[in-house]
Amino acid sequence: MKKILAMILALVMCFSLVACGGGSDAADTGDDAGAVETKVLKVAFNQTITNPEAQTLQWISDELYAQTEGRYKLEIYPDAQLGDQAQTLEQVTMGVLDMSLVANSVIETYASDFAILGTPYVYDSIEHQQKVFESGKLDPLYETTKAHGFTVLCAYSLGARNLYTRDKAVTTPAELSGMKIRVMGSETCINMMNAMGGVGIAMAQGDVYSAIQTGTLDGAENNIITYTDLVQYEVAPYYNFSGHLMIPDQLVIANGVLESMSAEDQAILMEVCAESIPYCFNKCAELRADYQAKAAEKGVIFSDCDVPAFQALCQDLIMNVANRNDMTKAAYEAIVSER
């Protein structure tokens, strides 16, 4: 049933894209005879257009257009217009959608070794994570997704994810005990929350607000930018600095789309995406303080957590994931080597 629904969604999207004029347009060069046909790559994103990752996608589009002399640009579809992250990644694997920016946990459902990138407390800091993503040492892991129909171009992070709760501050594992906390839909994230003392509940982001509001959930966990962007402070005003996770978001492209590009344009795309990593990290760093101030103005109550206590409870999970096979061992060693 899931596959049938995905195929129906893909077909609907395909027809809609054709109705909108296909995937290319003419670049204005000032000379009709020398006009360049611009290939428009459609990219899905599940958050708002003001989000720093969406701004990064626009930066990629501008740079790609300039460096390919008008041959390529991106068309961004924010706010889950084309479906949630799982749906848009499936569309990419089927070759119906060109690109999508999705959480590591979604990629993990196709390539389970990506779990090592989304384990709790595996990065010492946001600066450490940026060094890992810029190092090129994760390329062997990225190569493994090609067997599933898509290629990882680069990875970003909006910052550390923290617990936020509906009825009370949560600063220790004992205070978290038994609380139902929304996590992303991966086994690693569920195991993480269970290890920390809570009860991990996988749920699509679009359902979180109402689930907290009705008491189905006691809270969730996310970075301050997403928490504020999605106004979830309205239903969960306690934001607790557990810093447990810095989940990557990966920009992916359909294999067929990448292979249709010339070797020159492929190289340009790869280089632009590599340069977009520090752009996104710097943009997020600039905005995090602003988002926290905005949340404070809305009455959010901030609390520091006993981070070492949570870290200790997650060590077995980290080692279990890291030692699954040679690929996860190598990826873990790559992460550690950048400390």
Side-chain angles (χ1 to χ4, degrees), residues 44-63:
F45 184 56
N46 74 320
Q47 297 188 46
T48 68
I49 196 64
T50 60
N51 185 282
E53 288 185 337
Q55 294 177 42
T56 301
L57 293 175
Q58 186 59 56
W59 182 88
I60 290 175
S61 180
D62 294 342
E63 288 295 311

Side-chain angles (χ1 to χ4, degrees), residues 20-29 34-42 61 65 69-75:
C20 291
S24 62
D25 54 33
D28 184 3
T29 63
V36 175
E37 183 175 322
T38 300
K39 174 66 177 178
V40 180
L41 302 179
K42 299 182 185 297
S61 180
Y65 186 85
E69 299 179 334
R71 291 188 294 276
Y72 287 92
K73 68 178 181 179
L74 306 186
E75 188 168 277

Side-chain angles (χ1 to χ4, degrees), residues 118-123 188 192 196 243-246 314-315 317-318:
T119 51
Y121 298 112
V122 74
Y123 307 102
T188 304
M192 170 198 70
M196 291 171 66
H244 55 276
L245 194 60
M246 298 180 192
C314 292
Q315 286 307 302
L317 173 59
I318 296 172

Side-chain angles (χ1 to χ4, degrees), residues 167-289:
D167 297 321
K168 65 176 184 177
V170 171
T171 61
T172 66
E175 292 174 346
L176 181 62
S177 179
M179 295 183 70
K180 299 185 293 294
I181 304 296
R182 180 266 176 177
V183 296
M184 290 172 289
S186 80
E187 181 181 359
T188 304
C189 289
I190 294 170
N191 290 341
M192 170 198 70
M193 189 53 57
N194 294 345
M196 291 171 66
V199 178
I201 306 293
M203 183 180 293
Q205 182 62 262
D207 298 326
V208 174
Y209 186 104
S210 60
I212 297 175
Q213 187 177 44
T214 60
T216 302
L217 293 174
D218 297 305
E221 49 83 49
N222 220 316
N223 62 79
I224 188 66
I225 293 175
T226 301
Y227 168 74
T228 307
D229 245 359
L230 300 181
V231 298
Q232 293 189 357
Y233 51 77
E234 292 179 348
V235 291
Y238 296 92
Y239 195 83
N240 314 283
F241 290 111
S242 52
H244 55 276
L245 194 60
M246 298 180 192
I247 195 76
D249 294 317
Q250 280 99 356
L251 180 61
V252 303
I253 187 170
N255 287 349
V257 174
L258 185 62
E259 292 164 1
S260 71
M261 301 173 73
S262 68
E264 177 189 2
D265 287 339
Q266 284 189 39
I268 291 172
L269 175 62
M270 294 297 186
E271 181 62 26
V272 169
C273 287
E275 292 172 355
S276 74
I277 298 172
Y279 177 92
C280 188
F281 272 85
N282 291 338
K283 179 68 69 173
C284 290
E286 293 170 3
L287 293 178
R288 272 191 292 272

